[in-house]
């Protein structure tokens, strides 16, 4: 990033880069959890759930790209080793060992709720101090809020047809 672009960042760069790499690790784990979940899902409404999970996988991948590009722009290095994801993650990884639609929805809702809290805190950290990062984080948070809602609506449908 250019000199002036970095100069306007009013938070400790080391700390910001660490937090962005933690969020990047979350996004990769979320991506994989959705991606593999969409492949293994079984049970009632599996078609609809599969569609939503693979859509979310794509969006988590896009979040990873947005974060990695901003990390580079700030002069940092995005996490280079997958083994680091587990060390840095805020929200962890919930393996879809039970492929039942309801179980998968509950696991992923929990993940989205963690993502929402994580981005909320991150936005508060950069608020008014790094507008460019804040803008990117708000866009991601909007998606996470939508993800949670989409999954909760599916869960409600699933339960109402029991
Ligand atoms: Fe995400
Ligand atoms: Fe999400
Ligand atoms: Mg959706």
């Amino acid at each position: 990033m250019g000199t002036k672009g970095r100069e306007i960042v009013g938070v400790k760069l080391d700390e910001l880069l660490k937090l962005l790499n933690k969020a990047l690790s979350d996004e990769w784990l979320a991506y994989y959890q959705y991606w593999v979940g969409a492949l293994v899902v079984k049970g009632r409404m599996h078609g609809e759930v599969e569609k939503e999970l693979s859509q979310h996988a794509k969006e988590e991948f896009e979040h990873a790209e947005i974060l990695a590009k901003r990390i580079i722009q700030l002069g940092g290095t995005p996490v280079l080793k997958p083994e680091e994801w587990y060390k840095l993650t805020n929200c962890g990884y919930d393996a879809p060992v039970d492929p039942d639609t309801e179980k998968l929805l509950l696991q992923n809702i929990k993940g989205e709720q963690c993502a929402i809290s994580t981005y909320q805190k991150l936005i508060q950290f950069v608020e008014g101090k790094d507008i460019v990062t804040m803008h990117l984080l708000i866009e991601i948070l909007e998606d996470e809020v939508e993800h949670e809602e989409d999954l909760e609506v599916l869960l409600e449908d699933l339960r109402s047809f029991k």
Side-chain angles (χ1 to χ4, degrees), residues 144-157:
E144 310 303 10
V145 166
E146 194 183 298
H147 287 171
E148 183 203 32
E149 186 187 19
D150 292 344
L151 299 177
E152 284 183 346
V153 166
L154 277 170
L155 184 65
E156 212 180 282
D157 286 354

Side-chain angles (χ1 to χ4, degrees), residues 26-27 30 56 59-61 63-64 112 115 119 140 143-144 147:
D26 286 331
E27 292 295 349
H56 288 193
E59 289 165 1
E60 307 305 3
F61 180 79
H63 297 163
E112 292 298 342
Y119 284 110
I140 297 176
D143 285 348
E144 310 303 10
H147 287 171

Side-chain angles (χ1 to χ4, degrees), residues 29-39 52-54 56-57 60 93 108-109 112 147-148 151:
L29 293 172
Y31 164 75
Y32 192 76
Q33 192 177 314
Y34 274 125
W35 179 82
V36 80
L39 293 174
E52 199 65 49
L53 298 183
S54 47
H56 288 193
E60 307 305 3
Y93 178 79
N108 288 303
I109 288 168
E112 292 298 342
H147 287 171
E148 183 203 32
L151 299 177

Side-chain angles (χ1 to χ4, degrees), residues 31-74:
Y31 164 75
Y32 192 76
Q33 192 177 314
Y34 274 125
W35 179 82
V36 80
L39 293 174
V40 300
V41 67
K42 278 182 188 164
R44 272 173 308 117
M45 287 177 60
H46 64 89
E48 278 163 83
V49 174
E50 182 200 328
K51 231 176 97 193
E52 199 65 49
L53 298 183
S54 47
Q55 181 61 42
H56 288 193
K58 284 197 196 94
E59 289 165 1
E60 307 305 3
F61 180 79
E62 287 168 16
H63 297 163
E65 277 193 325
I66 290 168
L67 293 168
K69 284 178 182 167
R70 183 61 180 155
I71 289 168
I72 291 167
Q73 201 171 48
L74 288 165

Side-chain angles (χ1 to χ4, degrees), residues 5-21:
R6 215 169 294 173
E7 208 181 280
I8 60 166
V9 175
V11 291
K12 276 193 187 159
L13 210 51
D14 285 6
E15 207 175 332
L16 176 60
L17 288 168
K18 173 100 197 267
L19 293 171
L20 292 176
N21 261 319

